[in-house]
mmCIF file of all heavy atoms in Angstrom:
data_model
loop_
_atom_site.group_PDB
_atom_site.id
_atom_site.type_symbol
_atom_site.label_atom_id
_atom_site.label_comp_id
_atom_site.label_asym_id
_atom_site.label_seq_id
_atom_site.Cartn_x
_atom_site.Cartn_y
_atom_site.Cartn_z
ATOM 1 N N GLY E 318 -17.075 -4.211 -8.120
ATOM 2 C CA GLY E 318 -15.646 -4.187 -7.814
ATOM 3 C C GLY E 318 -15.150 -2.977 -7.065
ATOM 4 O O GLY E 318 -13.951 -2.831 -6.855
ATOM 5 N N ARG E 319 -16.075 -2.061 -6.678
ATOM 6 C CA ARG E 319 -15.626 -0.889 -5.924
ATOM 7 C C ARG E 319 -16.548 -0.607 -4.747
ATOM 8 O O ARG E 319 -17.769 -0.679 -4.889
ATOM 9 C CB ARG E 319 -15.574 0.352 -6.840
ATOM 10 C CG ARG E 319 -14.451 0.287 -7.880
ATOM 11 C CD ARG E 319 -14.440 1.527 -8.739
ATOM 12 N NE ARG E 319 -14.349 2.742 -7.942
ATOM 13 C CZ ARG E 319 -14.610 3.960 -8.395
ATOM 14 N NH1 ARG E 319 -14.994 4.137 -9.651
ATOM 15 N NH2 ARG E 319 -14.496 5.004 -7.607
ATOM 16 N N ASP E 325 -17.246 8.708 -7.622
ATOM 17 C CA ASP E 325 -16.237 9.166 -6.668
ATOM 18 C C ASP E 325 -16.838 10.010 -5.560
ATOM 19 O O ASP E 325 -17.793 10.763 -5.782
ATOM 20 C CB ASP E 325 -15.161 9.989 -7.397
ATOM 21 C CG ASP E 325 -14.374 9.124 -8.357
ATOM 22 O OD1 ASP E 325 -14.163 7.940 -8.033
ATOM 23 O OD2 ASP E 325 -13.997 9.617 -9.442
ATOM 24 N N GLU E 346 -21.766 -7.007 -3.604
ATOM 25 C CA GLU E 346 -21.191 -7.851 -2.550
ATOM 26 C C GLU E 346 -21.115 -7.077 -1.240
ATOM 27 O O GLU E 346 -21.091 -5.855 -1.234
ATOM 28 C CB GLU E 346 -19.774 -8.289 -2.954
ATOM 29 C CG GLU E 346 -19.737 -9.066 -4.257
ATOM 30 C CD GLU E 346 -18.318 -9.381 -4.712
ATOM 31 O OE1 GLU E 346 -17.678 -10.229 -4.081
ATOM 32 O OE2 GLU E 346 -17.853 -8.790 -5.705
ATOM 33 N N ARG E 349 -15.812 -7.164 2.421
ATOM 34 C CA ARG E 349 -15.155 -8.430 2.740
ATOM 35 C C ARG E 349 -13.956 -8.191 3.642
ATOM 36 O O ARG E 349 -12.982 -7.556 3.219
ATOM 37 C CB ARG E 349 -14.657 -9.105 1.464
ATOM 38 C CG ARG E 349 -15.753 -9.534 0.499
ATOM 39 C CD ARG E 349 -16.468 -10.746 1.025
ATOM 40 N NE ARG E 349 -17.353 -11.310 -0.003
ATOM 41 C CZ ARG E 349 -18.344 -12.120 0.304
ATOM 42 N NH1 ARG E 349 -18.605 -12.439 1.555
ATOM 43 N NH2 ARG E 349 -19.098 -12.628 -0.650
ATOM 44 N N ALA E 351 -12.132 -10.145 7.476
ATOM 45 C CA ALA E 351 -12.317 -11.007 8.642
ATOM 46 C C ALA E 351 -12.892 -10.208 9.810
ATOM 47 O O ALA E 351 -13.690 -10.708 10.590
ATOM 48 C CB ALA E 351 -10.991 -11.637 9.040
ATOM 49 N N VAL E 412 -11.608 -0.043 4.507
ATOM 50 C CA VAL E 412 -11.272 -1.439 4.793
ATOM 51 C C VAL E 412 -11.646 -2.314 3.600
ATOM 52 O O VAL E 412 -10.880 -3.173 3.169
ATOM 53 C CB VAL E 412 -12.016 -1.925 6.057
ATOM 54 C CG1 VAL E 412 -11.759 -3.393 6.309
ATOM 55 C CG2 VAL E 412 -11.626 -1.096 7.268
ATOM 56 N N ALA E 413 -12.831 -2.046 3.041
ATOM 57 C CA ALA E 413 -13.308 -2.842 1.914
ATOM 58 C C ALA E 413 -12.415 -2.670 0.693
ATOM 59 O O ALA E 413 -12.188 -3.602 -0.064
ATOM 60 C CB ALA E 413 -14.740 -2.456 1.568
ATOM 61 N N CYS E 415 -9.162 -1.802 0.719
ATOM 62 C CA CYS E 415 -7.748 -2.124 0.958
ATOM 63 C C CYS E 415 -7.457 -3.591 0.694
ATOM 64 O O CYS E 415 -8.202 -4.466 1.141
ATOM 65 C CB CYS E 415 -7.400 -1.797 2.406
ATOM 66 S SG CYS E 415 -5.705 -2.229 2.840
ATOM 67 N N ASN E 417 -5.273 -5.249 2.064
ATOM 68 C CA ASN E 417 -4.916 -5.841 3.362
ATOM 69 C C ASN E 417 -6.046 -5.738 4.381
ATOM 70 O O ASN E 417 -5.827 -5.986 5.556
ATOM 71 C CB ASN E 417 -3.693 -5.148 3.951
ATOM 72 C CG ASN E 417 -2.559 -5.021 2.959
ATOM 73 O OD1 ASN E 417 -2.299 -5.946 2.205
ATOM 74 N ND2 ASN E 417 -1.891 -3.885 2.950
ATOM 75 N N GLU E 453 -5.439 -4.065 15.205
ATOM 76 C CA GLU E 453 -4.833 -5.330 14.786
ATOM 77 C C GLU E 453 -5.380 -6.519 15.550
ATOM 78 O O GLU E 453 -5.565 -7.593 14.994
ATOM 79 C CB GLU E 453 -3.326 -5.235 14.903
ATOM 80 C CG GLU E 453 -2.807 -4.486 13.699
ATOM 81 C CD GLU E 453 -1.428 -3.958 13.888
ATOM 82 O OE1 GLU E 453 -0.593 -4.670 14.456
ATOM 83 O OE2 GLU E 453 -1.185 -2.817 13.470
ATOM 84 N N GLY E 459 -2.350 -4.473 8.124
ATOM 85 C CA GLY E 459 -1.505 -3.287 8.225
ATOM 86 C C GLY E 459 -1.502 -2.521 6.916
ATOM 87 O O GLY E 459 -2.000 -3.003 5.896
ATOM 88 N N THR E 461 0.081 -0.805 3.563
ATOM 89 C CA THR E 461 1.228 -0.874 2.665
ATOM 90 C C THR E 461 1.207 0.292 1.679
ATOM 91 O O THR E 461 1.778 0.230 0.596
ATOM 92 C CB THR E 461 1.299 -2.211 1.897
ATOM 93 O OG1 THR E 461 0.089 -2.386 1.169
ATOM 94 C CG2 THR E 461 1.493 -3.389 2.827
ATOM 95 N N ASN E 462 0.518 1.356 2.072
ATOM 96 C CA ASN E 462 0.542 2.615 1.307
ATOM 97 C C ASN E 462 0.102 2.493 -0.156
ATOM 98 O O ASN E 462 0.646 3.178 -1.010
ATOM 99 C CB ASN E 462 1.939 3.237 1.363
ATOM 100 C CG ASN E 462 2.392 3.524 2.785
ATOM 101 O OD1 ASN E 462 1.560 3.712 3.667
ATOM 102 N ND2 ASN E 462 3.691 3.558 3.005
ATOM 103 N N SER E 475 -7.665 12.016 3.589
ATOM 104 C CA SER E 475 -6.373 11.887 2.910
ATOM 105 C C SER E 475 -5.431 10.938 3.650
ATOM 106 O O SER E 475 -5.480 10.839 4.887
ATOM 107 C CB SER E 475 -5.723 13.273 2.819
ATOM 108 O OG SER E 475 -4.333 13.152 2.684
ATOM 109 N N SER E 477 -2.530 11.498 4.187
ATOM 110 C CA SER E 477 -1.609 12.274 5.024
ATOM 111 C C SER E 477 -1.939 12.050 6.504
ATOM 112 O O SER E 477 -1.073 12.167 7.364
ATOM 113 C CB SER E 477 -1.665 13.768 4.679
ATOM 114 O OG SER E 477 -2.944 14.270 4.953
ATOM 115 N N ARG E 484 3.579 8.841 12.624
ATOM 116 C CA ARG E 484 4.430 9.751 13.398
ATOM 117 C C ARG E 484 4.075 9.681 14.885
ATOM 118 O O ARG E 484 4.944 9.527 15.737
ATOM 119 C CB ARG E 484 4.189 11.173 12.869
ATOM 120 C CG ARG E 484 5.326 12.119 13.021
ATOM 121 C CD ARG E 484 5.284 13.199 11.946
ATOM 122 N NE ARG E 484 4.048 13.957 11.860
ATOM 123 C CZ ARG E 484 3.390 14.203 10.725
ATOM 124 N NH1 ARG E 484 3.832 13.747 9.575
ATOM 125 N NH2 ARG E 484 2.286 14.921 10.730
ATOM 126 N N SER B 303 1.805 -3.466 13.511
ATOM 127 C CA SER B 303 2.134 -3.366 12.083
ATOM 128 C C SER B 303 3.005 -2.155 11.770
ATOM 129 O O SER B 303 3.890 -2.223 10.919
ATOM 130 C CB SER B 303 0.851 -3.320 11.249
ATOM 131 O OG SER B 303 0.154 -2.125 11.513
ATOM 132 N N ASN B 378 -1.105 -9.859 6.294
ATOM 133 C CA ASN B 378 -2.132 -9.081 5.599
ATOM 134 C C ASN B 378 -3.040 -9.970 4.751
ATOM 135 O O ASN B 378 -4.221 -9.683 4.576
ATOM 136 C CB ASN B 378 -1.479 -8.006 4.729
ATOM 137 C CG ASN B 378 -0.905 -6.884 5.572
ATOM 138 O OD1 ASN B 378 -1.351 -6.649 6.693
ATOM 139 N ND2 ASN B 378 0.083 -6.191 5.038
ATOM 140 N N THR B 381 -6.251 -11.450 6.390
ATOM 141 C CA THR B 381 -7.327 -10.571 6.846
ATOM 142 C C THR B 381 -8.586 -10.620 5.984
ATOM 143 O O THR B 381 -9.576 -9.974 6.312
ATOM 144 C CB THR B 381 -6.866 -9.106 6.888
ATOM 145 O OG1 THR B 381 -6.500 -8.726 5.554
ATOM 146 C CG2 THR B 381 -5.688 -8.924 7.818
ATOM 147 N N ARG B 382 -8.524 -11.357 4.864
ATOM 148 C CA ARG B 382 -9.730 -11.441 4.012
ATOM 149 C C ARG B 382 -9.959 -12.884 3.596
ATOM 150 O O ARG B 382 -9.582 -13.283 2.488
ATOM 151 C CB ARG B 382 -9.569 -10.516 2.786
ATOM 152 C CG ARG B 382 -10.803 -10.502 1.880
ATOM 153 C CD ARG B 382 -10.804 -9.329 0.922
ATOM 154 N NE ARG B 382 -11.060 -8.087 1.608
ATOM 155 C CZ ARG B 382 -10.460 -6.929 1.337
ATOM 156 N NH1 ARG B 382 -9.580 -6.863 0.367
ATOM 157 N NH2 ARG B 382 -10.743 -5.843 2.023
ATOM 158 N N TYR B 386 -13.454 -11.043 -2.957
ATOM 159 C CA TYR B 386 -14.521 -10.498 -3.796
ATOM 160 C C TYR B 386 -14.625 -11.296 -5.092
ATOM 161 O O TYR B 386 -13.621 -11.806 -5.590
ATOM 162 C CB TYR B 386 -14.221 -9.043 -4.142
ATOM 163 C CG TYR B 386 -14.275 -8.111 -2.960
ATOM 164 C CD1 TYR B 386 -13.108 -7.564 -2.431
ATOM 165 C CD2 TYR B 386 -15.486 -7.760 -2.383
ATOM 166 C CE1 TYR B 386 -13.146 -6.698 -1.357
ATOM 167 C CE2 TYR B 386 -15.538 -6.889 -1.303
ATOM 168 C CZ TYR B 386 -14.368 -6.358 -0.790
ATOM 169 O OH TYR B 386 -14.404 -5.509 0.272
ATOM 170 N N ALA B 387 -15.836 -11.368 -5.639
ATOM 171 C CA ALA B 387 -16.020 -12.024 -6.932
ATOM 172 C C ALA B 387 -15.565 -11.087 -8.043
ATOM 173 O O ALA B 387 -14.970 -11.511 -9.027
ATOM 174 C CB ALA B 387 -17.485 -12.408 -7.118
ATOM 175 N N VAL B 388 -15.854 -9.796 -7.890
ATOM 176 C CA VAL B 388 -15.487 -8.802 -8.901
ATOM 177 C C VAL B 388 -14.687 -7.704 -8.210
ATOM 178 O O VAL B 388 -15.125 -7.171 -7.196
ATOM 179 C CB VAL B 388 -16.747 -8.172 -9.546
ATOM 180 C CG1 VAL B 388 -16.355 -7.120 -10.580
ATOM 181 C CG2 VAL B 388 -17.628 -9.241 -10.178
ATOM 182 N N ASP B 390 -12.214 -4.073 -8.983
ATOM 183 C CA ASP B 390 -11.722 -3.085 -9.942
ATOM 184 C C ASP B 390 -10.607 -2.307 -9.239
ATOM 185 O O ASP B 390 -10.710 -1.120 -8.997
ATOM 186 C CB ASP B 390 -12.877 -2.164 -10.357
ATOM 187 C CG ASP B 390 -12.475 -1.224 -11.484
ATOM 188 O OD1 ASP B 390 -11.336 -1.343 -11.976
ATOM 189 O OD2 ASP B 390 -13.294 -0.371 -11.869
ATOM 190 N N TYR B 393 -8.502 0.911 -10.508
ATOM 191 C CA TYR B 393 -9.055 2.268 -10.443
ATOM 192 C C TYR B 393 -8.426 3.057 -9.302
ATOM 193 O O TYR B 393 -8.178 4.248 -9.421
ATOM 194 C CB TYR B 393 -10.586 2.223 -10.266
ATOM 195 C CG TYR B 393 -11.188 3.599 -10.255
ATOM 196 C CD1 TYR B 393 -11.449 4.255 -11.459
ATOM 197 C CD2 TYR B 393 -11.430 4.273 -9.062
ATOM 198 C CE1 TYR B 393 -11.953 5.539 -11.465
ATOM 199 C CE2 TYR B 393 -11.935 5.560 -9.064
ATOM 200 C CZ TYR B 393 -12.193 6.182 -10.273
ATOM 201 O OH TYR B 393 -12.685 7.467 -10.275
ATOM 202 N N ARG B 400 0.573 -2.743 -5.333
ATOM 203 C CA ARG B 400 -0.131 -3.928 -4.824
ATOM 204 C C ARG B 400 0.732 -5.184 -4.898
ATOM 205 O O ARG B 400 0.437 -6.176 -4.257
ATOM 206 C CB ARG B 400 -1.414 -4.175 -5.633
ATOM 207 C CG ARG B 400 -2.483 -3.126 -5.466
ATOM 208 C CD ARG B 400 -3.827 -3.603 -6.030
ATOM 209 N NE ARG B 400 -3.759 -4.033 -7.425
ATOM 210 C CZ ARG B 400 -3.898 -3.204 -8.452
ATOM 211 N NH1 ARG B 400 -4.101 -1.925 -8.254
ATOM 212 N NH2 ARG B 400 -3.823 -3.642 -9.697
ATOM 213 N N HIS B 475 7.371 2.725 -6.035
ATOM 214 C CA HIS B 475 6.471 2.767 -4.882
ATOM 215 C C HIS B 475 7.269 2.866 -3.581
ATOM 216 O O HIS B 475 6.912 3.629 -2.683
ATOM 217 C CB HIS B 475 5.570 1.533 -4.832
ATOM 218 C CG HIS B 475 4.673 1.489 -3.629
ATOM 219 N ND1 HIS B 475 3.621 2.364 -3.459
ATOM 220 C CD2 HIS B 475 4.689 0.725 -2.512
ATOM 221 C CE1 HIS B 475 3.035 2.124 -2.303
ATOM 222 N NE2 HIS B 475 3.667 1.130 -1.699
ATOM 223 N N SER B 479 6.993 5.555 -0.254
ATOM 224 C CA SER B 479 6.347 4.767 0.789
ATOM 225 C C SER B 479 7.214 4.691 2.046
ATOM 226 O O SER B 479 6.703 4.751 3.172
ATOM 227 C CB SER B 479 6.071 3.365 0.235
ATOM 228 O OG SER B 479 5.545 2.535 1.223
ATOM 229 N N HIS B 482 6.763 7.865 3.947
ATOM 230 C CA HIS B 482 5.407 7.907 4.503
ATOM 231 C C HIS B 482 5.336 7.045 5.769
ATOM 232 O O HIS B 482 4.739 7.446 6.768
ATOM 233 C CB HIS B 482 4.435 7.374 3.450
ATOM 234 C CG HIS B 482 3.009 7.749 3.686
ATOM 235 N ND1 HIS B 482 2.512 8.991 3.375
ATOM 236 C CD2 HIS B 482 1.975 7.053 4.203
ATOM 237 C CE1 HIS B 482 1.232 9.035 3.690
ATOM 238 N NE2 HIS B 482 0.873 7.876 4.196
ATOM 239 N N THR B 483 5.959 5.881 5.702
ATOM 240 C CA THR B 483 5.917 4.926 6.810
ATOM 241 C C THR B 483 6.539 5.485 8.082
ATOM 242 O O THR B 483 6.051 5.236 9.186
ATOM 243 C CB THR B 483 6.640 3.626 6.409
ATOM 244 O OG1 THR B 483 5.987 3.090 5.267
ATOM 245 C CG2 THR B 483 6.629 2.606 7.529
ATOM 246 N N GLY B 485 6.572 8.486 8.893
ATOM 247 C CA GLY B 485 5.825 9.673 9.305
ATOM 248 C C GLY B 485 6.288 10.947 8.628
ATOM 249 O O GLY B 485 5.742 12.021 8.889
ATOM 250 N N ASN B 487 5.742 12.844 6.027
ATOM 251 C CA ASN B 487 4.885 13.163 4.897
ATOM 252 C C ASN B 487 3.729 14.021 5.371
ATOM 253 O O ASN B 487 3.355 13.989 6.539
ATOM 254 C CB ASN B 487 4.325 11.892 4.243
ATOM 255 C CG ASN B 487 4.367 11.974 2.742
ATOM 256 O OD1 ASN B 487 4.559 13.053 2.192
ATOM 257 N ND2 ASN B 487 4.188 10.865 2.064
ATOM 258 N N GLU B 489 0.240 16.656 3.501
ATOM 259 C CA GLU B 489 -0.524 17.037 2.305
ATOM 260 C C GLU B 489 0.373 17.628 1.214
ATOM 261 O O GLU B 489 0.219 17.323 0.038
ATOM 262 C CB GLU B 489 -1.588 18.058 2.732
ATOM 263 C CG GLU B 489 -2.854 18.030 1.922
ATOM 264 C CD GLU B 489 -3.532 16.669 1.911
ATOM 265 O OE1 GLU B 489 -4.042 16.216 2.959
ATOM 266 O OE2 GLU B 489 -3.542 16.072 0.841
ATOM 267 N N ILE B 496 6.232 11.667 -4.430
ATOM 268 C CA ILE B 496 5.865 10.717 -5.483
ATOM 269 C C ILE B 496 6.591 11.073 -6.787
ATOM 270 O O ILE B 496 7.059 10.184 -7.495
ATOM 271 C CB ILE B 496 4.332 10.652 -5.640
ATOM 272 C CG1 ILE B 496 3.762 9.872 -4.445
ATOM 273 C CG2 ILE B 496 3.930 9.981 -6.943
ATOM 274 C CD1 ILE B 496 2.273 9.768 -4.390
#
Side-chain angles (χ1 to χ4, degrees):
Chain E
R319 290 180 55 195
D325 294 325
E346 301 175 72
R349 295 286 190 199
V412 176
C415 177
N417 311 319
E453 280 162 41
T461 57
N462 301 335
S475 157
S477 63
R484 208 153 55 228
Chain B
S303 67
N378 287 335
T381 61
R382 182 164 288 141
Y386 293 108
V388 179
D390 187 4
Y393 182 82
R400 293 193 305 273
H475 177 69
S479 175
H482 198 79
T483 301
N487 223 346
E489 211 57 68
I496 286 177

